[in-house]
Amino acid sequence: MTRTVVVGGAGFIGSHLVEMLLGDGHSVLVIDDLSHPCGVALPRAAEMLVADAGGPEAAQALTRFRPQALVHLAAKGGVNRALRDPGDHVRAVLASSVGCFEAAAQAGCEVLVIASSGGAVYGDAERLPASEDLTPAPRSAYGAEKMCEETYLWTYRRRGLRAIALRFGNVYGPRQDGTGEAGVVAISATRLTQGLRPVIYGDGSQTRDFVYVGDIARATRAALSATESGPVNVGTGRETRVLDVVGELIRASGLAIEPELLPARPGEVSRTCLDSGRAQHLLSWESQTSLERGLAETYRYFAERASTSPAACGPEHGET
């Protein structure tokens, strides 16, 4: 691929992907409304359009740019926003996404790749690690919206485009938003750099499949060259307790502090773990960053950022 559009390219995952694609020689158009920009400037080689990806201005840009591939990574709020107002979440997210898909198809795009969420889509899966052949059973409005996006995406597969929904595990790493409602790693690291206790909703025994952002960016890049359509899990295949992750961050901080436990939030999945065998087969991908190394690098980033000037990247898919 040479002409690639990255929707949400100014955000957490998107900024990492844009840098990777430019390094590979892609011409990149970033479409982002900058409602949750990343605190890192994008390389000048990336063309930037500030607009809603589902609006007329974005459609005109797509027609002019004539992309071969489009990657949709943008999110407008996560699990909690969808829980508070599901109707508003659907209007803000689903309508924009579908409008973007159609504009890309009309512009001659050959490949559509979207960010979905393994934990949100599978819910409390009947077996773990969860594989793509399981019947989706979302427990939250956020997960239901993700399934709607995937359903619309498959209509473009039937129109001859390659369409891939990457079902991410819990993505973490440098540039993630540490001030919002999603992303236990980023939020905990931010609080620790401020000398505050991390907050855990529930008793911390809930498990997640934590995947480092660099590995996520590699999987997304690989999806652009995939020869098949369909859903693809992107995870490590390992369950990790939230309590253990927060404990590792506390150790990295050097603080003598304990997390604060609050009541579990409605719709939260108890266990998440993804079988990424299809990603290995279709994308020649597997995670490379150990949780220990990834958490150490992430905490170092937040500590350095706190010592200079605060910046935040917006909430993205795959976070709980």
Side-chain angles (χ1 to χ4, degrees), residues 12-271:
F12 165 43
I13 299 172
S15 63
H16 288 275
L17 176 65
V18 168
E19 291 173 353
M20 194 173 287
L21 293 177
L22 290 172
D24 290 342
H26 288 241
S27 296
V28 177
L29 168 62
V30 172
I31 301 177
D32 200 304
D33 66 4
L34 296 185
S35 56
H36 296 288
C38 183
V40 175
L42 291 175
R44 291 187 177 182
E47 181 181 348
M48 180 74 185
L49 173 66
V50 180
D52 184 295
E57 191 176 358
Q60 292 170 8
L62 287 166
T63 299
R64 174 188 54 78
F65 190 72
R66 298 199 62 79
Q68 294 165 286
L70 180 139
V71 180
H72 196 296
L73 297 171
K76 298 181 180 181
V79 176
N80 292 314
R81 175 180 174 179
L83 174 66
R84 286 193 299 269
D85 193 340
D88 180 68
H89 183 72
V90 168
R91 285 187 291 271
V93 179
L94 184 60
S96 177
S97 297
V98 174
C100 182
F101 300 163
E102 180 61 24
Q106 292 291 338
C109 189
E110 302 166 10
V111 182
L112 294 175
V113 178
I114 71 168
S116 189
S117 169
V121 165
Y122 295 121
D124 284 314
E126 61 189 39
R127 68 173 186 272
L128 294 177
S131 59
E132 295 88 349
D133 62 352
L134 288 176
T135 301
R139 293 193 57 194
S140 65
Y142 177 82
E145 189 280 326
K146 286 290 159 222
M147 281 309 305
C148 289
E149 277 194 40
E150 289 194 21
T151 300
Y152 274 101
L153 184 69
W154 308 144
T155 68
Y156 292 94
R157 175 174 57 181
R158 289 188 283 274
R159 287 168 56 176
L161 281 72
R162 274 180 285 140
I164 299 168
L166 297 175
R167 293 176 177 172
F168 294 154
N170 279 68
V171 188
Y172 74 97
R175 306 181 191 172
Q176 191 173 17
D177 182 15
T179 62
E181 299 178 331
V184 65
V185 172
I187 294 172
S188 297
T190 298
R191 289 182 65 85
L192 286 166
T193 62
Q194 298 168 347
L196 301 174
R197 296 170 65 191
V199 173
I200 294 175
Y201 292 92
D203 63 5
S205 65
Q206 63 269 38
T207 65
R208 299 291 181 262
D209 191 333
F210 291 93
V211 194
Y212 189 67
V213 66
D215 291 333
I216 289 288
R218 285 192 304 104
T220 306
R221 176 180 61 181
L224 297 175
S225 303
T227 57
E228 300 176 20
S229 295
V232 180
N233 291 339
V234 183
T236 67
R238 294 184 293 275
E239 287 186 80
T240 304
R241 295 193 312 163
V242 169
L243 190 63
D244 294 336
V245 165
V246 173
E248 187 68 26
L249 291 170
I250 291 173
R251 282 189 289 276
S253 74
L255 297 175
I257 202 168
E258 293 292 331
E260 179 182 1
L261 302 181
L262 296 180
R265 295 178 291 200
E268 184 165 309
V269 176
S270 59
R271 296 174 62 200

